[in-house]
Amino acid sequence: QNEVSMSASILVAEAVWKDIESTCSVSNDQLSILHFLFGKNFERATRIVDQRGVKRISGKPSGRFIFQVVGESRRKEEYFCFAESYCACYSFFYDIVNRGEQLCCKHQLAARLAASLGACIEVKVSDEKLALLLSKL
């Protein structure tokens, strides 16, 4: 039962993300759906995006990229993540990988939302530097 509802949620979320990406804007209805699907994690993600907490680090010349997202604690640690598949934060391993209770963490949601809205801080680095960042994950 749980797996069926999770895969249905993923399909609904993907459709909403595609709509947001196509217009580079988000409606109240879309916000409501995403909030319904992701709960508190989505609220936290919107705060991170509002505070310009998402960097998109792109390698030149390949165009490959990874997101760096600011955490919400006072320490303001930054987490590397891929919006759809991975985050270096504790919650990703605990809630998503180990327990399968969430679809993704707030940092992944913030990355996806910021990218969809064109609200990332763009950082360009050499492919060598990007490879070095990725090797530390």
Side-chain angles (χ1 to χ4, degrees):
Q1 172 64 38
N2 196 17
E3 278 183 36
V4 172
S5 65
M6 275 213 164
S7 49
S9 296
I10 291 167
L11 289 174
V12 172
E14 277 308 311
V16 175
W17 288 126
K18 293 276 181 283
D19 282 350
I20 294 169
E21 284 160 13
S22 69
T23 61
C24 283
S25 64
V26 62
S27 70
N28 285 337
D29 285 349
Q30 290 165 328
L31 287 172
S32 296
I33 294 167
L34 293 172
H35 187 266
F36 176 77
L37 294 173
F38 299 112
K40 285 220 180 314
N41 273 351
F42 187 69
E43 275 175 47
R44 293 174 180 132
T46 58
R47 280 202 299 272
I48 292 168
V49 174
D50 287 344
Q51 292 162 11
R52 303 275 293 149
V54 180
K55 285 183 197 148
R56 183 177 136 140
I57 303 171
S58 307
K60 290 190 299 200
S62 72
R64 288 190 189 97
F65 63 89
I66 189 167
F67 294 99
Q68 190 174 18
V69 182
V70 176
E72 281 198 301
S73 78
R74 258 181 267 132
R75 290 194 308 279
K76 293 286 182 222
E77 59 279 88
E78 293 185 298
Y79 298 101
F80 286 110
C81 75
F82 294 101
E84 292 164 40
S85 57
Y86 171 83
C87 185
C89 76
Y90 177 78
S91 172
F92 180 81
F93 287 100
Y94 189 69
D95 295 331
I96 296 154
V97 177
N98 289 346
R99 295 167 64 193
E101 289 183 0
Q102 300 285 328
L103 295 170
C104 49
C105 72
K106 65 186 174 190
H107 309 108
Q108 289 174 285
L109 288 169
R112 189 84 193 256
L113 183 61
S116 300
L117 296 172
C120 299
I121 294 166
E122 297 287 345
V123 179
K124 305 279 188 212
V125 298
S126 67
D127 279 332
E128 291 78 11
K129 185 159 184 191
L130 184 64
L132 197 63
L133 287 176
L134 294 173
S135 72
K136 293 175 181 169
L137 292 180

